[in-house]
């Protein structure tokens, strides 16, 4: 039964018969990292708020070239893995069907057991090590593309840059020609029938290898080599954990846009940016009718992804009848700050045929800067007409646009207590 918590991904650009499933190998005990991780299996280590193995699953899903995933975990960790998978899937839907199965003592045992768990109609398979969390969707697509072109086996590899020597008893036996050497990575792609036969042969002959391509080589199959990625490294040694350490968070930027319009009529005296505009048409509005601060409030809420002014301050609520728009803006700013938003710049435009706003520009700009706790040189204000076109050109109303720029603290999801937090480990 498929442990499916997501939806099936969209078809890839090549025939559906060539869309493989992927085996994601997370069954290793990571003996070289056991001490550094205080007994925790590396595949369950949290990185960027998600288990290490999930990052490879994400890349597989984002490639849009894979039909499903079989997760292979240590037998003793199988129920824990199912719980973590279900919880992570709820928060970060892969959009792919997936299965869970137990692995074996050796890597090739885990692959063989993963192959046995595949759905019956699968014709091609990828095999990827969960300890390579930096794999990209692009590399996965390249491997799948080679399978679609008819390759029986395909592996990504990068050139060896160090000199490699064969040694025995502490002495050099030979120096290998570096030009002919490559370092092999995963995911590796295979025609399923060929890979299954190769594993059956290895089991029958007690052949042990370090990657699946070697099993096909032993049976005389051609193995196609494509360019791998230098960044697609494997987390194996304790020093490799440094690759998972996060640099100081970079400041992220957001923008928000706001727009508002008010009709002229017998209503409320015109105010813009909290500044009264004498001898101007009155506006019809529920609050004090400050079209500029309304647009600005909407922009602030948009920047913080907090819906719009109508949701928070509806015009049918008597509490806001005649209320100062500066009060609404202040409340929106407080909500935005609670969301980690810090305003850095605003650009405002008022569109009206009348009144003429040039005499009030500096005062409006200064007051908006005060309300936003910004310096005036971070507030820009423009006023324009519409050349007698439309309702504003006919002097039937006034409208305003606001564009807000802000910085935001990086998002850090809160994780369930049963997950292992990277910050809890000392290296």
């Amino acid at each position: 039964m498929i442990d499916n918590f997501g939806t099936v991904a969209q078809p890839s650009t090549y025939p559906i018969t060539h869309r493989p499933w992927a085996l994601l190998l997370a069954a290793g005990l990571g003996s070289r990292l056991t001490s550094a991780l205080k007994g925790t299996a590396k595949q369950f280590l949290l990185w960027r708020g998600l288990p290490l193995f999930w990052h490879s699953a994400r890349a597989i899903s984002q490639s849009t070239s894979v039909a499903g995933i079989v997760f292979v975990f240590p037998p003793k960790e199988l129920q824990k893995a199912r719980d973590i998978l279900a919880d992570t899937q709820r928060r970060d839907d892969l959009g792919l069907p997936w299965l869970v199965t137990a692995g074996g003592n050796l890597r090739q045992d885990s692959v063989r057991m993963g192959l046995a768990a595949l759905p019956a109609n699968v014709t091609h398979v990828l095999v990827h090590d969960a300890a390579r969390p930096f794999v990209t969707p692009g590399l996965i697509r390249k491997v799948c593309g080679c399978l679609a072109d008819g390759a029986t086996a395909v592996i990504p590899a990068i050139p060896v840059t160090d000199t490699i020597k064969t040694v025995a008893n502490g002495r050099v036996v030979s120096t290998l020609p570096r030009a002919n050497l490559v370092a092999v990575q995963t995911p590796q792609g295979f025609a399923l029938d060929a890979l299954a036969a190769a594993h059956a042969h290895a089991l029958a002959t007690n052949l042990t290898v370090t990657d699946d391509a070697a099993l096909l080589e032993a049976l005389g199959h051609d193995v196609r080599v494509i360019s791998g990625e230098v960044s697609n490294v494997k987390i194996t040694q304790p020093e490799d954990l440094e690759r998972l350490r996060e640099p100081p968070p970079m400041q992220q930027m957001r923008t928000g846009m706001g727009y508002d319009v008010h009709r002229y009529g017998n209503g409320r005296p015109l105010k813009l940016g909290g500044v009264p505009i004498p001898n101007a048409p009155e506006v019809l509005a529920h609050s004090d009718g400050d079209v500029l601060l309304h647009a600005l409030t909407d922009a602030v809420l948009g920047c913080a992804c907090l819906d719009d002014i109508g949701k928070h301050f509806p015009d049918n609520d008597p509490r806001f009848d005649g209320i100062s728009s500066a009060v609404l803006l202040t409340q929106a700013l407080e909500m935005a700050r609670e969301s980690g938003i810090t305003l850095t710049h605003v650009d405002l435009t008022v569109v009206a045929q009348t009144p003429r706003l040039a005499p009030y520009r500096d005062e409006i700009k200064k007051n908006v800067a005060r309300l936003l706790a910004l310096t005036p040189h971070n507030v820009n204000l423009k006023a324009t007409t519409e050349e007698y076109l439309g309702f504003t050109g006919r002097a039937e109303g006034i409208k305003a646009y606001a564009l807000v720029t802000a910085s935001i603290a990086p998002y850090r999801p809160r994780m369930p207590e049963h997950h292992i937090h990277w910050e809890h480990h000392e290296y």
Side-chain angles (χ1 to χ4, degrees):
M1 176 175 165
I2 294 180
D3 296 322
N4 181 4
F5 291 86
T7 56
V8 177
Q10 295 298 312
S12 59
T13 55
Y14 47 85
I16 190 69
T17 54
H18 288 291
R19 289 184 70 213
W21 272 59
L23 301 187
L24 190 55
L25 303 180
L29 298 178
S31 57
R32 282 167 286 191
L33 287 174
T34 300
S35 177
L37 295 178
K38 301 179 180 179
T40 298
K42 62 186 175 184
Q43 57 267 44
F44 298 117
L45 180 68
L46 268 192
W47 179 49
R48 296 179 178 174
L50 295 166
L52 195 65
F53 69 82
W54 196 259
H55 293 272
S56 294
R58 258 184 169 182
I60 290 168
S61 173
Q62 291 165 0
S63 75
T64 70
S65 302
V66 176
I69 301 174
V70 174
F71 292 94
V72 186
F73 289 106
K76 294 182 179 180
E77 303 280 3
L78 201 56
Q79 187 55 53
K80 171 186 173 181
R82 288 182 184 275
D83 293 342
I84 293 177
L85 271 167
D87 178 71
T88 308
Q89 174 72 30
R90 281 190 291 269
R91 295 180 291 109
D92 187 52
D93 189 350
L94 281 181
L96 286 178
W98 45 263
L99 296 158
V100 183
T101 192
N105 293 327
L106 300 178
R107 182 185 185 279
Q108 65 191 65
D109 296 331
S110 295
V111 173
R112 188 177 64 254
M113 297 169 77
L115 295 178
L118 288 169
N121 61 344
V122 175
T123 59
H124 293 78
V125 65
L126 303 186
V127 180
H128 183 63
D129 298 322
R132 293 184 185 270
F134 307 108
V135 66
T136 67
L139 181 59
I140 295 167
R141 282 193 294 269
K142 285 167 61 178
V143 174
C144 292
C146 287
L147 293 178
D149 288 340
T152 299
V154 55
I155 61 174
I158 58 174
V160 171
T161 57
D162 295 326
T163 297
I164 307 296
K165 296 180 182 289
T166 302
V167 299
N169 300 320
R171 297 180 183 275
V172 173
V173 175
S174 64
T175 300
L176 303 178
R178 189 171 62 186
N180 297 328
L181 297 177
V182 294
V184 175
Q185 302 176 331
T186 66
Q188 298 183 358
F190 305 95
L192 179 56
D193 55 355
L195 182 60
H199 272 279
H201 174 262
L203 185 63
T205 59
N206 293 319
L207 175 62
T208 301
V209 296
T210 56
D211 81 331
D212 297 279
L215 297 180
L216 275 79
E217 295 163 27
L219 293 181
H221 289 286
D222 287 334
V223 176
R224 190 180 302 183
V225 181
I226 64 171
S227 296
E229 297 173 340
V230 174
S231 61
N232 185 25
V233 296
K234 189 175 182 180
I235 304 301
T236 304
Q237 305 290 348
E239 53 268 27
D240 294 333
L241 295 172
E242 289 298 322
R243 299 178 184 274
L244 303 179
R245 290 198 181 276
E246 299 290 343
M250 294 180 63
Q251 192 177 61
Q252 301 178 27
M253 303 303 295
R254 286 261 190 95
T255 57
M257 180 181 174
Y259 168 80
D260 197 30
V261 58
H262 285 308
R263 182 189 298 272
Y264 289 153
N266 294 324
R268 305 186 187 278
L270 182 64
K271 294 172 65 177
L272 291 173
V275 176
I277 309 298
N279 304 315
E282 294 182 342
V283 293
L284 302 176
H286 182 63
S287 65
D288 66 357
D290 193 323
V291 68
L292 185 60
L293 291 189
H294 289 180
L296 182 54
T297 301
D298 235 8
V300 169
L301 292 170
C303 197
C305 294
L306 293 173
D307 299 304
D308 58 29
I309 189 172
K311 177 175 180 178
H312 296 284
F313 315 111
D315 59 9
N316 58 0
D317 190 328
R319 292 178 301 163
F320 306 122
D321 185 16
I323 193 172
S324 167
S325 297
V327 173
L328 306 184
L329 175 61
T330 298
Q331 292 186 23
L333 287 168
E334 290 176 356
M335 290 187 286
R337 291 188 188 107
E338 290 176 358
S339 298
I341 292 288
T342 301
L343 263 61
T344 58
H345 176 266
V346 296
D347 187 24
L348 308 169
T349 302
V350 178
V351 182
Q353 198 67 39
T354 186
R356 184 170 176 268
L357 299 178
Y360 311 101
R361 183 193 306 268
D362 290 344
E363 187 178 359
I364 294 172
K365 181 176 176 179
K366 181 179 179 180
N367 195 55
V368 169
R370 179 186 63 82
L371 292 172
L372 300 179
L374 294 175
T375 56
H377 73 268
N378 284 322
V379 176
N380 190 54
L381 175 64
K382 306 183 293 291
T384 185
T385 69
E386 289 192 308
E387 301 295 332
Y388 302 100
L389 298 174
F391 77 91
T392 54
R394 295 190 298 269
E396 296 174 358
I398 186 172
K399 60 185 176 183
Y401 298 89
L403 186 66
V404 167
T405 305
S407 63
I408 181 170
Y411 173 66
R412 300 292 187 187
R414 302 182 70 178
M415 302 299 295
E417 291 184 0
H418 70 269
H419 279 225
I420 301 152
H421 287 260
W422 168 259
E423 294 81 0
H424 288 177
H425 296 293
E426 297 178 0
Y427 303 103

